[in-house]
Amino acid sequence: MIARLTGLLAESAADHAVIDVAGVGYLVWMSARALGVIGPVGGQVTVFTELQVREDAMTLYGFASGAERDWFRLLTSVQGVGGRVALAILSVLDPVELVRAVAAGDKAMVARANGVGPKLAIRIVTELKDKTGGIVLGPGVTAPQPKGSAAGDALSALANLGFRPVEASAAVTAAEEELGPGATLDALVRLALKKAAR
């Protein structure tokens, strides 16, 4: 399994890059968004990768961040979403926007990507709603937590009180960071409410 590549960016195209690592050129398929941020041709780059092995091919996909790779894995777990479609989605939506789209059930946002019709967009937001727990997107921002966990139950409690999914997620994440992983539901909800009210 190739998890990361660090080397010189030898070539960059609309949908892929070639990264030279110690004289070996790796063809890496990437989203337009990731290609736009990894740096100029000839420069030193580091990309997170996911290797997909099929009967007829081995394909290496590259990402500008671990969160983007996590979302690629989630997207490709949905029936009908292959690597290219997942990259098309990641080209138009960054991880934070994907969290918002899935949390809000916003199929129109997902359908902006090439190759994603209305039915597939509905399947993506429906199937991923319960699968997006634990994806760290940056300071204070995480994906919705799975149901059954204290954080997931705290998120549900805040949502029932009328907080928007993004506000609830940010407040619960901040509370969990302050209290630690063993925090009780009661303590999490109390602190999250204080943080959401600020």
Side-chain angles (χ1 to χ4, degrees), residues 10 33 54 56 60 63 104 111 116 135-136 145 175 191:
R33 192 180 291 271
R54 305 263 187 263
D56 57 344
L60 194 59
F63 312 95
V116 180
I135 294 183
V136 179
Q145 299 295 318
L191 188 55

Side-chain angles (χ1 to χ4, degrees), residues 5-190:
L5 293 174
T6 298
L8 293 178
L9 182 58
E11 296 173 34
S12 182
D15 58 359
H16 69 275
V18 176
I19 300 172
D20 185 320
V21 180
V24 178
Y26 290 87
L27 176 68
V28 185
W29 298 98
M30 300 178 75
S31 69
R33 192 180 291 271
L35 285 163
V37 300
I38 61 168
V41 172
Q44 182 89 354
V45 296
T46 296
V47 295
F48 294 84
T49 58
E50 177 79 359
L51 178 64
Q52 286 192 347
V53 180
R54 305 263 187 263
E55 282 183 25
D56 57 344
M58 288 174 51
T59 310
L60 194 59
Y61 295 95
F63 312 95
S65 68
E68 188 185 19
R69 180 176 60 192
D70 289 344
W71 269 103
F72 177 86
R73 289 171 177 165
L74 278 173
L75 288 165
T76 54
S77 73
V78 176
Q79 184 185 355
V81 180
R84 296 296 179 90
V85 171
L87 287 184
I89 294 167
L90 290 166
S91 289
V92 296
L93 297 172
D94 67 26
V96 174
E97 291 166 331
L98 270 166
V99 166
R100 290 180 183 145
V102 169
D106 190 345
K107 61 186 185 300
M109 206 166 164
V110 178
R112 287 171 29 202
N114 287 337
V116 180
K119 285 183 181 174
L120 184 55
I122 290 169
R123 190 182 308 144
I124 289 167
V125 296
T126 304
E127 285 189 27
L128 294 187
K129 205 156 201 157
D130 294 329
K131 289 185 181 179
T132 54
I135 294 183
V136 179
L137 302 169
V141 187
T142 33
Q145 299 295 318
K147 288 174 184 168
S149 67
D153 291 343
L155 264 177
S156 180
L158 265 66
N160 290 338
L161 291 170
F163 288 94
R164 290 182 306 140
V166 175
E167 292 172 334
S169 180
V172 170
T173 299
E176 200 173 26
E177 284 173 3
E178 192 170 311
L179 295 171
T184 64
L185 174 60
D186 187 46
L188 264 180
V189 171
R190 275 195 203 147

